[in-house]
Amino acid sequence: MKLSALSVLLFSAVMAGGTRAKPPPHQRHHRNVVALGNRQVKLGAAGPSASGASGGPTSSTPSPSSSAGNSSSGSRSAASTSVTGTATATGSLKTSIPTPVVPVPSGGQNGVPPLSLISSGMSTGTPSPVASSYAPGATPPIPGVPVLPTAFVFHPADWPTQDQVPDTSSPEVQKWMHELDGFDIPAWSPTADGTCAGDPAAMAQASLRGWWTCGGTTRDTDITACPKQYDWGVSFDDGPSKWSECPQKLLNYLGKQNILATFFVVGSRVIERPAVLIEEYMTGHEISVHTWSHRPLTSLTTPQIVAELGWTRKAIQTVLGITPTTMRPPYGDIDDRVRAISLAMGMVPIIWTSAPASGPFDTNDWKVAGGIVDATTSFNTFEGILGNASTIPSGFIVLQHDLYEVTVDLAVGYTLDAALAHKPPLSLKPIGSCLNIPATNLYSESNKNTSFPYTNHTVITSSNTDLDPTAVQKKSNSVMNARVSVPLLVAVLITAGQSLFY
């Protein structure tokens, strides 16, 4: 993607909350129902976890939805078109795979089988309870956030159907719709299905729409990379999962290696496995919104997007007592309408890095879980990503998943071990940390920064905006960083030189 120096510096300054931080600064995300033309390959549904079904001794949770698989991953590759104009873009997304940086781990470590045996059809182990439990009233590791609330108890009438787009006529959604009041939401119509091939008309307007899926267009308010070279923004999507809590699996491995990550959680999984979410949060990992049913957001109406984000936000707040100020769109499927809605609701979009030469920093673990490629091929692709770490001037954000045992095995047995052995050394961090965002800014209850999340208030001067949604879009995106002070803006403009490519 192409990211202007102005964009990087503006972003860093706003994130720092008025303090002088260190100067910092896609392809598509995936689902377990993989669209292959008009066909679909369905992965196995995520089964319930006996241990994950409790947020504490007094908690109870729903039985897993038969459609739970919708919250996992498949692939939808972004177009390789280079997008120009006012937006930033990835350029060519063709992956270049150099010689592996480190040897392939031998396997059999961390409770993980050899790479050749990891596949979508592999036998699964038995999940175990989380390593520890935190009682209501426990103090989280972030200053200013509330203590853990009363243990979560699931009542079906309180929540939408799992893994389905929520009803938009509910009192909750009607209330959340008012959060959009005073904001300019571009009038783009929903895409057919969130794919380029599925909606040629929308694809032809991808640059105007700011549609990341087709061409990789990003905006200044998107988080797409860590600013410091060799910083790895560690992220896991689609949980909480029963495999997050397996002995010697993800959480235990991360704790052993002293690695913190950002978990992008699906609301339907949060109410199913609250204990896992509590464990992630209380042990220092960052928590972010990843929608309720894991649908491509550009394919939904504005009220449906509000419902997807709102119910997930509510689920996290009910279980943890905190409200994230960031989100990740499923499949990376975002355009200016989705951005504006997310920002109006107080959530900054986070995607993952893609470089012109290397393509997306995507481990492709979802392809193994979906039976699309074998584990060795996936790991070789990942090794190519590592090889490109030294060719870009920034750090990067990597996409991984924690919903299935296959993806967790790849992480704890291979990809993370390879990253730790990389030369030059990589610094593995959660995304907020790699961007020097204070942990308090990541949750609205503790956030004192009036410039983060960004605003997108605009003044509409054109009388034709109802007929031309791009008129609103252009104005909206031009002022998403409007709260940056004039002196700072002048300093940035003086400092900004040529564009940075990564």
Side-chain angles (χ1 to χ4, degrees):
M1 73 193 70
K2 177 183 176 183
L3 183 66
S4 67
L6 171 61
S7 166
V8 173
L9 292 171
L10 279 173
F11 174 75
S12 175
V14 174
M15 298 279 252
T19 61
R20 294 284 297 199
K22 296 179 181 179
H26 62 158
Q27 271 328 198
R28 301 205 60 184
H29 183 48
H30 320 293
R31 57 173 120 175
N32 66 322
V33 179
V34 183
L36 299 175
N38 293 324
R39 300 174 132 192
Q40 290 184 327
V41 178
K42 294 188 178 181
L43 311 188
S49 166
S51 57
S54 173
T58 61
S59 298
S60 64
T61 56
S63 59
S65 167
S66 61
S67 60
N70 285 336
S71 67
S72 179
S73 302
S75 170
R76 292 137 48 92
S77 298
S80 59
T81 306
S82 177
V83 180
T84 58
T86 59
T88 57
T90 60
S92 174
L93 302 179
K94 184 177 180 181
T95 302
S96 173
I97 303 176
T99 303
V101 179
V102 295
V104 177
S106 59
Q109 54 198 2
N110 304 319
V112 176
L115 194 62
S116 61
L117 298 182
I118 296 178
S119 69
S120 61
M122 65 183 286
S123 60
T124 59
T126 302
S128 298
V130 291
S132 60
S133 61
Y134 295 88
T139 301
I142 300 171
V145 298
V147 298
L148 284 182
T150 303
F152 177 76
V153 178
F154 175 70
H155 298 292
D158 294 341
W159 301 97
T161 302
Q162 287 175 267
D163 307 300
Q164 300 296 318
V165 177
D167 177 16
T168 59
S169 66
S170 69
E172 291 88 352
V173 176
Q174 293 302 305
K175 177 182 178 181
W176 297 330
M177 284 294 295
H178 288 294
E179 295 181 34
L180 276 54
D181 293 346
F183 291 87
D184 291 314
I185 309 301
W188 293 110
S189 59
T191 62
D193 59 4
T195 69
C196 308
D199 197 334
M203 182 176 66
Q205 296 179 309
S207 180
L208 290 175
R209 297 179 70 116
W211 193 12
W212 181 88
T213 300
C214 297
T217 305
T218 62
R219 301 298 190 194
D220 289 349
T221 49
D222 295 343
I223 296 174
T224 58
C226 300
K228 184 179 178 182
Q229 191 176 34
Y230 299 119
D231 273 4
W232 169 327
V234 184
S235 67
F236 292 93
D237 287 19
D238 299 351
S241 164
K242 63 179 180 178
W243 298 117
S244 299
E245 60 187 302
C246 239
Q248 297 301 308
K249 295 291 172 120
L250 187 54
L251 289 179
N252 288 342
Y253 175 88
L254 295 175
K256 178 182 176 181
Q257 298 293 346
N258 197 29
I259 298 172
L260 294 176
T262 302
F263 285 90
F264 293 92
V265 299
V266 172
S268 292
R269 303 285 74 73
V270 168
I271 63 171
E272 191 173 273
R273 303 181 182 113
V276 181
L277 185 69
I278 291 172
E279 185 73 12
E280 291 167 351
Y281 173 61
M282 293 297 287
T283 52
H285 299 286
E286 297 173 359
I287 306 300
S288 186
V289 168
H290 198 44
T291 75
W292 179 262
S293 69
H294 205 275
R295 297 297 196 276
L297 291 180
T298 68
S299 70
L300 304 182
T301 66
T302 292
Q304 287 175 326
I305 296 170
V306 169
E308 287 278 340
L309 297 175
W311 279 111
T312 305
R313 185 178 63 179
K314 178 179 175 64
I316 295 170
Q317 202 279 334
T318 302
V319 173
L320 299 180
I322 48 94
T323 307
T325 57
T326 60
M327 59 81 74
R328 173 174 281 173
Y331 323 112
D333 188 47
I334 192 169
D335 62 10
D336 288 335
R337 182 173 63 99
V338 176
R339 285 185 183 92
I341 294 167
S342 299
L343 292 168
M345 295 182 72
M347 288 170 273
V348 175
I350 300 176
I351 315 180
W352 50 95
T353 302
S354 185
S358 66
F361 280 67
D362 179 350
T363 60
N364 288 318
D365 54 358
W366 53 271
K367 287 187 176 181
V368 181
I372 300 171
V373 302
D374 60 38
T376 300
T377 299
S378 172
F379 184 76
N380 287 341
T381 300
F382 171 73
E383 283 286 78
I385 291 174
L386 287 184
N388 286 312
S390 61
T391 67
I392 60 175
S394 71
F396 46 88
I397 294 172
V398 177
L399 176 66
Q400 294 180 276
H401 300 82
D402 65 329
L403 185 60
Y404 291 108
E405 185 181 21
V406 168
T407 59
V408 170
D409 280 348
L410 285 169
V412 305
Y414 298 95
T415 57
L416 292 177
D417 276 356
L420 292 171
H422 185 269
K423 302 297 181 185
L426 299 173
S427 181
L428 278 63
K429 303 175 181 180
I431 295 169
S433 177
C434 87
L435 282 149
N436 299 312
I437 304 174
T440 51
N441 286 17
L442 299 176
Y443 309 105
S444 62
E445 289 76 9
S446 56
N447 184 19
K448 304 301 182 183
N449 185 346
T450 58
S451 297
F452 184 88
Y454 307 124
T455 62
N456 72 337
H457 282 27
T458 65
V459 177
I460 303 177
T461 58
S462 171
S463 60
N464 296 320
T465 52
D466 288 341
L467 300 178
D468 180 11
T470 65
V472 175
Q473 165 232 306
K474 290 171 184 175
K475 280 190 167 293
S476 177
N477 283 285
S478 70
V479 297
M480 282 184 180
N481 289 321
R483 291 178 181 255
V484 179
S485 67
V486 172
L488 176 59
L489 180 58
V490 172
V492 169
L493 288 171
I494 293 174
T495 304
Q498 289 188 322
S499 296
L500 300 175
F501 291 84
Y502 63 87

